[in-house]
Amino acid sequence: RISMRIAVIGLGHIGCRRLRLLRDDLGQDNIVVYDSDPCRCVEAAAEFECVACAGWTEVWGDKPEIAFICTLPDSHATLASVFLGRGCHVFIEKPLETIIGHADWLVDLAVKYPDRITMVSCNMRFAAGPAQLKAWLAEGRIGESLWARFETASWLPDWHPATMDETGHIVKGVD
């Protein structure tokens, strides 16, 4: 087992899922957490027995070696660039970014820091649907692929309750 100083940034549904995996499945115990909602930060820290940070100074004070960026997508590239610049490896939740130029900028940063691992989560990689499509393409069953677009959606009512309206839809602009 490798033990690292870890920062988990963003404590909605996915951030807390990452915390659970890091603590319970991987046995990591040197974790600091930060969220723009101080109450959510304190609650997650208590539940997962880690350190709640009230601000960035506290996050940097722990000198994390890896950061899990679990915030809303429009902040992914900016946060990842800050952590890469401070010497951290980064794991970024999908989607990588909402602005194509920011995604390109992040790829350039990953190349600039070859000693740091930059990863993007992709939970569809081994899912049955895309695997079947790949098999059909390999068999020639559906012909030559010229272009593809794949979309998926989920309803996560406990994701960020404060960022949802009464129908369960995400309200843009809340971090």
Side-chain angles (χ1 to χ4, degrees), residues 66-144:
I66 183 168
F68 286 77
I69 310 297
C70 307
T71 56
L72 293 176
D74 59 358
S75 65
H76 287 176
T78 301
L79 289 171
S81 71
V82 170
F83 280 96
L84 284 167
R86 289 183 170 261
C88 295
H89 305 289
V90 293
F91 180 94
I92 308 161
E93 286 300 334
K94 62 186 180 337
L96 174 63
E97 188 40 87
T98 56
I99 299 170
I100 291 174
H102 288 181
D104 292 339
W105 172 55
L106 190 52
V107 169
D108 291 342
L109 283 170
V111 170
K112 179 180 176 180
Y113 299 112
D115 59 323
R116 294 164 209 156
I117 298 169
T118 303
M119 263 183 95
V120 178
S121 174
C122 182
N123 65 2
M124 295 298 293
R125 186 173 183 183
F126 301 106
Q132 183 63 62
L133 182 60
K134 181 179 179 187
W136 287 342
L137 283 167
E139 295 167 9
R141 187 169 172 183
I142 58 175
E144 181 181 357

Side-chain angles (χ1 to χ4, degrees), residues 1-173:
R1 168 177 96 97
I2 298 172
S3 182
M4 299 182 83
R5 290 184 312 278
I6 299 168
V8 177
I9 310 302
L11 299 168
H13 177 79
I14 299 298
C16 287
R17 180 181 292 179
R18 294 289 174 222
L19 271 173
R20 189 173 300 108
L21 292 170
L22 289 164
R23 294 284 303 170
D24 298 346
D25 293 357
L26 300 178
Q28 296 294 319
D29 58 6
N30 196 351
I31 302 172
V32 298
V33 295
Y34 175 77
D35 192 277
S36 59
D37 178 341
C39 292
R40 185 184 303 139
C41 192
V42 170
E43 289 170 7
E47 180 179 350
F48 298 104
E49 300 173 354
C50 52
V51 177
C53 294
W56 294 111
T57 302
E58 289 182 37
V59 173
W60 306 136
D62 191 63
K63 299 186 181 356
E65 297 169 275
I66 183 168
F68 286 77
I69 310 297
C70 307
T71 56
L72 293 176
D74 59 358
S75 65
H76 287 176
T78 301
L79 289 171
S81 71
V82 170
F83 280 96
L84 284 167
R86 289 183 170 261
C88 295
H89 305 289
V90 293
F91 180 94
I92 308 161
E93 286 300 334
K94 62 186 180 337
L96 174 63
E97 188 40 87
T98 56
I99 299 170
I100 291 174
H102 288 181
D104 292 339
W105 172 55
L106 190 52
V107 169
D108 291 342
L109 283 170
V111 170
K112 179 180 176 180
Y113 299 112
D115 59 323
R116 294 164 209 156
I117 298 169
T118 303
M119 263 183 95
V120 178
S121 174
C122 182
N123 65 2
M124 295 298 293
R125 186 173 183 183
F126 301 106
Q132 183 63 62
L133 182 60
K134 181 179 179 187
W136 287 342
L137 283 167
E139 295 167 9
R141 187 169 172 183
I142 58 175
E144 181 181 357
S145 174
L146 300 177
W147 184 86
R149 180 177 180 165
F150 181 82
E151 292 185 34
T152 186
S154 297
W155 185 61
L156 302 170
D158 62 340
W159 181 65
H160 264 235
T163 65
M164 296 187 153
D165 65 18
E166 62 281 351
T167 66
H169 292 94
I170 297 170
V171 178
K172 183 77 173 139

